[in-house]
Amino acid sequence: MKYLSPSTILLTGTCCFLSAMSAQASNLPQKIHESKARLESIHQSVANLQAQLQKKQKSQSELRAEIHQLDVKIQATQAQLTKIQGQRQKTRQEIQTLQTQINQLQQDLLQQKEILADQLRAAYMLGGETPLAVWLQTEKPAEIGRLSVYYQALAKARLDLISKTQVTSNKISQTQRQKKQQEAQLTHLATLTQAQEQTLQGQRAQHAKLEEQLVQRIAADQAKIANLEANANILNGLVNRLSTEYAQQVAAEKAAAARRAAEARKRAAERLAAERAAAARAAAERRAAARAAAQQRAEIAAKAAAEQRRAEQLQKEIHQEAVPPPTPVQAPQIAELKPTAPSTPPASSTVGQGSFPLPVSAPIKHLFGTPRMDGGPNWQGITFAAAPGTPVHAIAPGMVLYAGPLRGYGEIVIVQQADLVLAIYGHLAKPAVQVGQKLQTGSLVGSVGSGGEMNADGLYLEIRSHGHPVNPLHFLR
């Protein structure tokens, strides 16, 4: 087993701690990036709705121009009808005058008929005698002459009266025919004018109905734009708050890391100095022991050499063998220990390449990228047609970054599954997790909500990779 010095262990632990803190700090930038991407999507939706609103307002302007033209035609028709009514009133006055004349002519004709009847009655009373017979029977011839002149004048007046009566009758008939023709012409003209006015009024009513429908659609689009802008403002506030928290967290972590690094360096320097001093003392002690051992061995070797010389001198003649010189003993070399470099922590594995289980057991109602029924941006995730209260489980391990309400998404839970992969569970009844909580695959996230922002029951699941929405079906099995 390899020996590690205390300073090496301390530096390794410090690096691991700093790596963990930096990994935790990386969550906030990811949340900020995700929120900004969502904010850009909302702004794009607002721009699209505003373009549609401008088209509808243009159509409304054209429709109002057509309505104005119809109003002008209706006014002209009404003026024509008023003129016709004036002519009709004038004609009626003329007809009334004619009727008065007809009544007068009828009275004259009645008088003429009465006079003619008197004349005929007088002639009838005279009988069938001729004027000559009457003259011969009369005793006064002068009276007979006057009577003859009277009869001639009476006959002429009778003829004139008969002729005048015939003229009056013809004039009465002609006046009555003229009266009927004028009345028929005015009635026909008034009928045509009224029909034209009714047609124009119908067209105007239809245009007014279309304008009302267009106004309602424009009002609905304006309300939708206002709602999206309100959602964008809320999301913008969330982004600003997360940015501020991230800046504060980074500053605090930098200051804490700087303090910990300074303290670690100080403790490492002190322990390294202590270790070096201890090593130096141990080396000095080893060198002193080696010198003492060498001196002792040298003395022993000198004594042995002296005894050997004396033995050689005593037994020189007896023993002719040479004694080999003693082998010197060297002191062992002790290597100084050096602190090893701290090991680098392994990089975290990327999650999202495998198959994840479904969060709920329910059919998929809306697919990724399909348009919404009520307009606005397309679906950036998928929705499950699950009943309210159905438990929602995590599809992969991760840490909770956000849990709470968000306008336009209801109650949501944002889980960071990897460095650049986020899972967003929306339209929940109530989250069952807290920020910072670690989740495992299958952990309870919450339950399915009812109605709300989706106008229906179900679960909304969105997955973001590198800050962009991706099809969750690529991650689910």
Side-chain angles (χ1 to χ4, degrees), residues 99-113 168 172 176:
Q99 185 64 40
T100 303
Q101 294 177 1
I102 289 172
N103 294 334
Q104 184 64 38
L105 288 175
Q106 288 177 349
Q107 290 179 1
D108 295 341
L109 180 60
L110 183 60
Q111 291 177 0
Q112 291 172 3
K113 286 181 178 181
T168 303
I172 290 172
Q176 288 178 345

Side-chain angles (χ1 to χ4, degrees), residues 196-215:
Q196 183 178 4
E197 182 182 9
Q198 290 177 357
T199 302
L200 293 175
Q201 290 289 354
Q203 293 178 357
R204 191 186 187 284
Q206 184 177 4
H207 282 65
K209 184 177 180 180
L210 292 176
E211 183 184 10
E212 182 180 0
Q213 293 177 355
L214 193 59
V215 168

